[in-house]
Amino acid sequence: MKVAAGIPAVLQSFKHVFSEAGILRGLKALNKLNKKDGFDCPSCAWPDPDDERSPIAEYCENGAKAVADEATAKAIGASFFAANPVKELALLNDYEIGKKGRITLPMYLPQGATHYQPISWMAAFTKIAKALNSLSSPDEAVFYTSGRTSNEAAFLYQLFVREFGTNNLPDCSNMCHESSGVALGESLGIGKGSVKLEDFYEAEVIIILGQNPGTNHPRMLTALQKAKANGAIIISINPLPETGLMGFNNPQKLKGILGINSALTDLFLPVKINGDMPLLQAIEILLLQEEEKSAGKVFDQSFIKNNTEGYKEFCNHLRQLDVQQLAIASGIDMADIRQAADILKSKTKIIACWAMGLTQHKNAVDTIKEIVNLLLLKGSIGKPGAGTCPVRGHSNVQGDRTVGIFEKPSQKLLQSIQQNFGFKPPQKHGYDVVESIKAMYEEKVKVFVAMGGNFLSATPDTEFTANALRKCKLTVHVSTKLNRSHLVHGNEALILPCLGRSDKDILNGEVQFVSCENSMGVVQQSKGLLKPVSGNLLSEPSIICHLAKATLGDKSKIDWDKYLLHYDHIRDDIEKTIPGFEKYNERVRIPGGFYLPNCNRDGSFDTVTKKAHFNIANFAATELAADELLMMTIRSHDQFNTTIYGLDDRYRGIYNERRVVLMNQSDMNKRQLKQNDIVDLVNEEDGRQRIAHKFIVVPYAIPAGCTATYFPEANVLVPINSVAEKSNTPVSKAVVIKIRKQ
Ligand SMILES: Nc1nc2c(c(=O)[nH]1)N[C@H]1C(S)=C(S)[C@@H](COP(=O)(O)OP(=O)(O)OC[C@H]3O[C@@H](n4cnc5c(=O)[nH]c(N)nc54)[C@H](O)[C@@H]3O)O[C@H]1N2
Ligand SMILES: Nc1nc2c(c(=O)[nH]1)N[C@H]1C(S)=C(S)[C@@H](COP(=O)(O)OP(=O)(O)OC[C@H]3O[C@@H](n4cnc5c(=O)[nH]c(N)nc54)[C@H](O)[C@@H]3O)O[C@H]1N2
Ligand SMILES: [Mo]
């Protein structure tokens, strides 16, 4: 399959939505998805066009699947849990667990019990409050957030957690774009990307590294198509020839529906896993050589002089590197590297986009800084048609961070909380995801609370993490649907069922809306419209207010009841506390929302020296023994993270199976493996053996020495200690494995 989207994608989205939600409910939901008066797509964080939204469909196949998953009419309540022991549910795979339906009432698993049983909301809050208040320190509790949580809920959550007394606020970002945040923050002074959607339409070159937009950000393909029609050259850097990047049909255009193939990528560079940094350095060396031949013709010397630091040292560093060796380390032929440099040489408007293929590596922060180096050389930041574009994952992961979900809060944020709410928040930094797991394992953390997500399946080293969770006294999940994290639990466990994005949320007789920030820093409202599957669901903000009241009681300096009257009160307090939200309630009501400030966009760099920094880094390849291979864990076309919609990966031509390992034919030959052989995958880091059993071998166009498997199935192999320098992100894209034939 070479062509992504088009008619099959449209048909697929209808199939998923109507089979889960029914025709009326499904149509109702799809009709309001990503409309200015509708709800924000719960799938990815790609922005909506500011002014030209399609009147028919501003969504994609995978957005529709995400809606179907949430809007499902299937529901599970007391009788389901009474009939199904936790142990038996745990034997199901993630696909089967996810298909059970929406949870309809709060459920409690007492110590030693075999089944979850219903519990009233008030009894649930009291139990959590008691567990939290009996800890010897607030730091013995951890409060995780997944990135679907709205700004309103996230702000209240961090406020509650900080008033309770800890900064233990890990979030899915720790496993996602943390490396981007760290790299961009250090190099450019803001941890977010600088481009707007319209920059794509002016760009001369768009480089896409380590990202599979056809599956994970399908609406980005529309932007790329328009960019290309305007003359942009697209360079794709990826070990795999991803269908969406190689060919694409726009389902929102008649031509697309008719099936005309438009290849998006002009130059495809099939790097080895983690070969990006040496590739970028090799390109920079070739550009430097050209610049030295004709000064000022290739690099933007006035931009460099006025806005950057470390240029001379950086060039000296490049001069010391061996371009041939870098080419070998990247896996790309010199001729192709030269072609990339030739394309970039004369261009001044360059956008670089990237996602998990770059962020989940040991040297991720330095790789991303290497992208920044390239853009700085070309003066490609802070002007139209150019800049950084880390493409976010979860639909509000960026917003959650903006409003305070962070285990390493800035002094500014803490001071602002103190000023506005009259309590002194804890100063000590908290645990991130990996640190939280280790702290649970060492029994330093006893209560685990999750605002959404599927912590066990999303995090590395599944066995180790499962044991860590089992050591907790209490695990609590605020969730829409059943997932594995409910089934691998602490001594006691609670599931608190909440409204989803598409559900109508009514307080005091008035329909409420929440707001989210997309990948390009636009904050806009999201208003659900479907009747909730049960009258017993609470919204995330309500759950937090009740939990805060139960836990903090009269000690609290915060008027939690106020927030339960209208979400405008939450937004007023966000406005007071977080910069950039002036007139929040007014501006969020403007159709399309508003942009948050972004210093890079304005051409300034909020680092200590107020300059952008060139970064000097040396690449060190992972050393592999003769029988070892590198494995990246990626998403199939039929999943949203740990939620498995189906068993196909249509664009990669893989059907009805997720336990597959994609291999280069030469690596198969060396091991005398044939297509469809069944193998075990083994990792032996830190002297511990991790085994992923029974994977089917699939020969694939992937560089030699590299393999690919799907997340979350392969997470058992990701060692807990294998993390990115500085960002502490699990290295999910470069796991050392051996293959054992069964
Ligand atoms: N439908 C759908 N949409 C989603 C999600 C989903 O699961 N399903 N998840 C959401 C979330 S939370 C996120 S973070 C994003 C994730 O979006 P992506 O980052 O696109 O997701 P992955 O499948 O992890 O894809 C990584 C891509 O990087 C490539 N890659 C792996 N290693 C390397 C490397 O070393 N170098 C280079 N250059 N490339 C590499 C892989 O071949 C793959 O194409 O998508 C979001 N959107
Ligand atoms: N090996 C490997 N591991 C990875 C990755 C990888 O590429 N490879 N990617 C990482 C990345 S980028 C990310 S972002 C993380 C994702 O980690 P998480 O965000 O923790 O995982 P999700 O699968 O997105 O969470 C799904 C669950 O969220 C709940 N949910 C859905 N909607 C809502 C809602 O509106 N409210 C609430 N309260 N709950 C809701 C449902 O119960 C559902 O089961 O995984 C990371 N793990
Ligand atoms: Mo993510």
Side-chain angles (χ1 to χ4, degrees), residues 293-320:
K293 276 188 226 150
S294 42
K297 289 273 160 49
V298 179
F299 292 168
D300 184 339
Q301 291 296 349
S302 82
F303 175 90
I304 294 171
K305 184 160 168 272
N306 295 329
N307 297 293
T308 72
E309 270 188 355
Y311 170 67
K312 270 205 188 114
E313 295 81 349
F314 176 65
C315 292
N316 284 338
H317 176 64
L318 287 183
R319 286 186 198 102
Q320 284 156 23

Side-chain angles (χ1 to χ4, degrees), residues 97 328 491 589 594 635 652:
I97 294 174
I328 293 168
N491 284 348
R589 284 177 165 84
F594 61 93
R635 289 155 172 80
R652 296 197 186 104

